[in-house]
Amino acid sequence: MRASHRHRVRCSPSTCQAARVIRPKIVCAATGPVPDARVVVIGGTGRVGSSTASALIKEFPNLKITLASRSDESYQAAVSRRPELSQAAFQRVDITNADSVRGLLNSTDADLVIHTAGPFQRSKNYAVLEAALDTRTPYIDVCDDTPYSEGAKAKYAERAKAEGVPAIVSGGIYPGTSNVMAAHIISIARQEYDEGWNYRTPPPGEGVEPKWLRYSYYTAGSGGAGPTILETSFLLAGEDVIVYKDGKEVILPPISNRREVDFGPGVGRKGVYLYNLPEVVSGHKYMRVPDVSARFGTDPFIWNWAMWLTARLIPRKLLNDRGFVKRFAALSDPFVRNVDKIIGEAVAMRVEVDMVNGKNSSGIFVHKYLSQSMGYSTAAFAQSVLQGKTKPGVWYPEEPEALQDRRQFLQLAATGCSRFDLNRSAWALESEIKQIGGLIYW
């Protein structure tokens, strides 16, 4: 079928032709049932954790949710932001102490623990994952740090398999949903699904291999995610960037190699910059893509220049100091929040895959509220684990063992999106595309 005559496809749980387009506003219910279960959200009073708990409460009211953090005051603040969290219990926990986390998981008889207490940069603390393995509790985290996620795989993957514990690392929105978008596009190209959308090994000669995978991300301001995202950004400004070119690892400066990316109508063209993100390494290792990169940009545009200057003017020693960065983020937070009120907290992701045959398949995700979309992304991973669709072991989101049903995942993760298109030619996602009578034209 010629790309210029490709119709939009309305997906449902029973019909989804190659997942070309998923439109959350018109699909059937995204949530499959989950069994009655007890879920602990560590860091559950923060922006990411409270968003995750809120999504779980709304989509799966049969779950018993416990929010865990260091102080009662943070729980009260979370409830004031999101009144539905009053339905959740609260317990204190110290994530630096494995005994404290084990006590929490045992006292709640947890069926799943979700670790959202970032930032993960510069951390070597695996107390939550260790406690999950000790208590045989399934685990998800929202790690966005390459060394931390790789460390979790290297140290605990075999033990998790032996203990029968499923664990997903980097299970947020980016990385997370973005990885699954890429994996779904690549599996379709490789013909790794049978007619029932089950994984298979395609016969020799079938399918097309990917050559280049590009992740591009944009948020308006901080995305309403609070000081943690500021800490993460400043810490990443102190990390050299890993990319893959011609199948080889290349090290580049942080916040460099600007590229202009079109996120489509409503967002438009934005400048994005290289950051050191775990989906680059995992995409190369586990999706076997020779060339991979990830870029991020924000508004107002001057903030990109501010981050560029931060990476070059502040000594690397200070940017590697979590205490300094925490104080720096706290000083910046009030100003950022005031700007957020003006420009909003929209998020956009674009995933582009160039194939060895010269063709391209892409996906785009646009949501008005980053905090809400983060919550639904993490809740979608929780849905898979609670349904028993994640195998024992430590997995990145794109690995087949992490998600038995990627289509179900994507439908829930994209809840509330203003646009979510998948497996389209790159030109079909551009801002200037016009649609007339079901056909798409320039």
Side-chain angles (χ1 to χ4, degrees), residues 32-294:
V34 299
D36 294 345
R38 295 163 292 277
V39 179
V40 173
V41 183
I42 291 180
T45 61
R47 297 283 175 170
V48 178
S50 62
S51 298
T52 300
S54 175
L56 290 171
I57 288 168
K58 290 174 181 176
E59 298 297 327
F60 308 109
N62 60 311
L63 296 178
K64 293 183 179 179
I65 309 293
T66 298
L67 308 182
S69 71
R70 289 189 176 187
S71 69
D72 293 26
E73 291 78 11
S74 64
Y75 171 67
Q76 296 302 327
V79 171
S80 68
R81 294 194 309 270
R82 297 180 176 275
E84 66 274 15
L85 296 182
S86 62
Q87 301 174 46
F90 172 76
Q91 286 200 32
R92 293 192 193 92
V93 69
D94 177 3
I95 65 166
T96 65
N97 187 320
D99 289 336
S100 176
V101 183
R102 276 193 295 271
L104 169 68
L105 300 183
N106 283 325
S107 66
T108 56
D109 196 19
D111 298 297
L112 171 65
V113 57
I114 304 175
H115 181 11
T116 69
F120 292 86
Q121 282 72 21
R122 313 293 184 276
S123 176
K124 296 181 180 179
N125 171 27
Y126 294 97
V128 178
L129 179 52
E130 289 174 356
L133 294 174
D134 289 344
T135 58
R136 295 189 175 181
T137 305
Y139 169 94
I140 296 169
D141 69 38
V142 297
C143 170
D144 51 1
D145 181 62
T146 302
Y148 190 95
S149 59
E150 283 290 279
K153 289 273 290 183
K155 295 179 181 180
Y156 301 104
E158 292 306 316
R159 183 183 171 194
K161 289 180 184 178
E163 298 283 358
V165 176
I168 298 175
V169 295
S170 299
I173 181 171
Y174 57 81
T177 295
S178 58
N179 306 45
V180 181
M181 290 170 64
H184 201 40
I185 290 170
I186 290 169
S187 285
I188 290 170
R190 284 175 169 157
Q191 299 187 25
E192 291 177 337
Y193 298 127
D194 63 20
E195 291 184 358
W197 293 93
N198 301 304
Y199 295 105
R200 66 164 191 154
T201 300
E206 287 193 16
V208 180
E209 285 296 309
K211 165 60 177 167
W212 198 328
L213 168 59
R214 300 179 184 89
Y215 292 103
S216 300
Y217 307 127
Y218 161 82
T219 66
S222 72
T228 298
I229 198 169
L230 293 177
E231 291 183 49
T232 297
S233 298
F234 292 141
L235 288 165
L236 285 171
E239 287 187 13
D240 287 330
V241 177
I242 296 173
V243 301
Y244 290 91
K245 175 66 174 171
D246 298 325
K248 297 179 181 179
E249 181 181 290
V250 179
I251 305 298
L252 295 171
I255 318 177
S256 64
N257 292 70
R258 181 183 184 275
R259 179 174 180 242
E260 190 171 275
V261 173
D262 192 340
F263 292 98
V267 178
R269 295 182 180 276
K270 302 293 180 181
V272 292
Y273 302 78
L274 289 175
Y275 279 79
N276 193 39
L277 299 175
E279 56 266 49
V280 173
V281 172
S282 64
H284 179 74
K285 281 188 176 182
Y286 305 110
M287 285 192 281
R288 308 185 310 281
V289 183
D291 302 349
V292 192
S293 62

Side-chain angles (χ1 to χ4, degrees), residues 227-414:
T228 298
I229 198 169
L230 293 177
E231 291 183 49
T232 297
S233 298
F234 292 141
L235 288 165
L236 285 171
E239 287 187 13
D240 287 330
V241 177
I242 296 173
V243 301
Y244 290 91
K245 175 66 174 171
D246 298 325
K248 297 179 181 179
E249 181 181 290
V250 179
I251 305 298
L252 295 171
I255 318 177
S256 64
N257 292 70
R258 181 183 184 275
R259 179 174 180 242
E260 190 171 275
V261 173
D262 192 340
F263 292 98
V267 178
R269 295 182 180 276
K270 302 293 180 181
V272 292
Y273 302 78
L274 289 175
Y275 279 79
N276 193 39
L277 299 175
E279 56 266 49
V280 173
V281 172
S282 64
H284 179 74
K285 281 188 176 182
Y286 305 110
M287 285 192 281
R288 308 185 310 281
V289 183
D291 302 349
V292 192
S293 62
R295 288 175 169 86
F296 172 80
T298 187
D299 271 335
F301 182 72
I302 194 172
W303 285 5
N304 295 303
W305 286 106
M307 289 302 302
W308 185 90
L309 289 170
T310 296
R312 284 150 182 81
L313 298 182
I314 295 181
R316 186 69 63 91
K317 181 179 180 180
L318 290 178
L319 291 175
N320 288 334
D321 183 336
R322 284 171 60 102
F324 169 81
V325 168
K326 188 178 184 67
R327 294 189 296 272
F328 191 24
L331 288 172
S332 306
D333 187 53
F335 175 73
V336 171
R337 287 186 187 278
N338 286 328
V339 175
D340 282 356
K341 293 176 184 178
I342 300 171
I343 64 172
E345 56 169 286
V347 60
M349 305 189 293
R350 181 163 173 152
V351 177
E352 301 170 82
V353 184
D354 294 342
M355 307 298 175
V356 295
N357 63 2
K359 295 184 178 180
N360 168 283
S361 291
S362 301
I364 199 163
F365 177 115
V366 181
H367 199 292
K368 189 176 180 179
Y369 301 107
L370 173 61
S371 56
Q372 184 182 110
S373 59
M374 286 191 301
Y376 270 93
S377 289
T378 310
F381 286 110
Q383 177 181 223
S384 177
V385 173
L386 291 170
Q387 290 176 334
K389 295 181 178 180
T390 302
K391 293 184 178 181
V394 179
W395 313 109
Y396 280 104
E398 62 265 42
E399 294 185 87
E401 295 86 352
L403 298 173
Q404 182 178 322
D405 189 344
R406 286 176 180 156
R407 293 185 303 155
Q408 175 187 263
F409 169 87
L410 289 168
Q411 287 186 6
L412 181 55

